[in-house]
Amino acid sequence: MSLKEKINSSKLPQHIAVIMDGNGRWAKQKGAERIYGHENGVKSVRETVEAAAELGIKYLTLYAFSTENWNRPQEEVMALMQLLVHTISAETKTLNENNIRLAAIGDLKSLPSDCYNELQEAIKKTAGNNRTTLVLALSYSSRWEIINAVKEIAQKVQDGLMQASTINEDTINSHLCTADMPEPELMIRTSGENRISNFLLWQLAYAELYFTDKLWPDFRKEDFYEAIVDYQNRERRFGKTSEQLIS
Ligand code: FPP
């Protein structure tokens, strides 16, 4: 039985989030510049998006650029931005052919204007698609997102539009970038690092975390299937006991 056949299609996670890590180390192993790793990471992005769409995963969020990534050498930041712009515009047609909608979360206004415009263009062109939503986290960090949400809520309280005592989980959810998305049930991180690194801290509260030693440019469909099979073999208790889940 292949890994894909082992996947139970009635127990699929609706939303999978991925920290694509290890591009730099992959390039270093090959004696190449870091950007060579990012360029090869694009193939893994394609494979993962294709696998998610084929399986019918409703949301796939990829951590493509963190707020902290702005601190990398200027040369690498610029090369990554160019790669993003180029990939987004080159892939829009394929996204449409496969009924995939593009969305983005993060401080998008901080992106270089060509990258921002290309992104908005692709989001607009794919807005009518509904098989899978591919969410790019760009210039994103979870603490930035939570601070923004708190500021917006505080402003509403100050303006008398809301009472502080009525603030609950739904209030926070609806002020995050992911307001209209289900929470990720599975988070995959490549490259052997076992951290969340400021990614969807609120939204991952009950997610299953899956870590693999594979470096991102080596990540293929089979690795994605393996993560889903592993997820499906876990017992998700949400604070309850095993016995309560059976009854
Ligand atoms: C982490 O590896 C990867 C990134 C910061 C960027 C990921 C970007 C791509 C794969 C390019 C294309 C993406 C899209 C969505 C079109 P790292 O550089 O932190 O690797 P290291 O930990 O080995 O140094």
Side-chain angles (χ1 to χ4, degrees), residues 65 70 74 77-85 88 107-120 138-139:
F65 195 87
W70 290 114
Q74 198 55 19
V77 171
M78 292 325 289
L80 245 176
M81 286 298 151
Q82 284 313 311
L83 182 64
L84 280 167
V85 174
I88 290 164
D107 186 10
L108 306 180
K109 290 268 159 61
S110 68
L111 297 171
S113 56
D114 56 342
C115 192
Y116 178 82
N117 293 337
E118 210 57 69
L119 183 67
Q120 293 303 336
L138 286 166
S139 192

Side-chain angles (χ1 to χ4, degrees), residues 20-25 34 38 41-42 45 64 69 72 80 83-84 87 136 216:
M20 311 181 285
D21 198 9
N23 293 352
R25 277 164 281 165
R34 295 177 55 82
H38 298 314
V42 175
V45 170
N69 286 154
R72 291 191 173 195
L80 245 176
L83 182 64
L84 280 167
T87 308
L136 297 183
W216 179 250

Side-chain angles (χ1 to χ4, degrees), residues 53-151:
E54 281 166 5
L55 288 172
I57 307 288
K58 282 293 165 198
Y59 288 85
L60 175 71
T61 298
L62 303 180
Y63 205 0
F65 195 87
S66 72
T67 311
E68 292 77 18
N69 286 154
W70 290 114
N71 299 322
R72 291 191 173 195
Q74 198 55 19
E75 195 185 278
E76 182 179 349
V77 171
M78 292 325 289
L80 245 176
M81 286 298 151
Q82 284 313 311
L83 182 64
L84 280 167
V85 174
H86 176 78
T87 308
I88 290 164
S89 56
E91 299 291 335
T92 307
K93 191 165 165 268
T94 315
L95 292 177
N96 272 331
E97 283 165 2
N98 290 284
N99 197 10
I100 299 167
R101 179 168 76 104
L102 184 69
I105 57 172
D107 186 10
L108 306 180
K109 290 268 159 61
S110 68
L111 297 171
S113 56
D114 56 342
C115 192
Y116 178 82
N117 293 337
E118 210 57 69
L119 183 67
Q120 293 303 336
E121 192 64 19
I123 289 174
K124 228 185 326 168
K125 282 186 183 159
T126 61
N129 300 337
N130 60 10
R131 187 181 182 195
T132 295
T133 299
L134 166 63
V135 185
L136 297 183
L138 286 166
S139 192
Y140 172 87
S141 89
S142 194
R143 289 188 179 176
W144 165 85
E145 178 187 38
I146 292 171
I147 290 167
N148 266 352
V150 171
K151 278 186 190 161

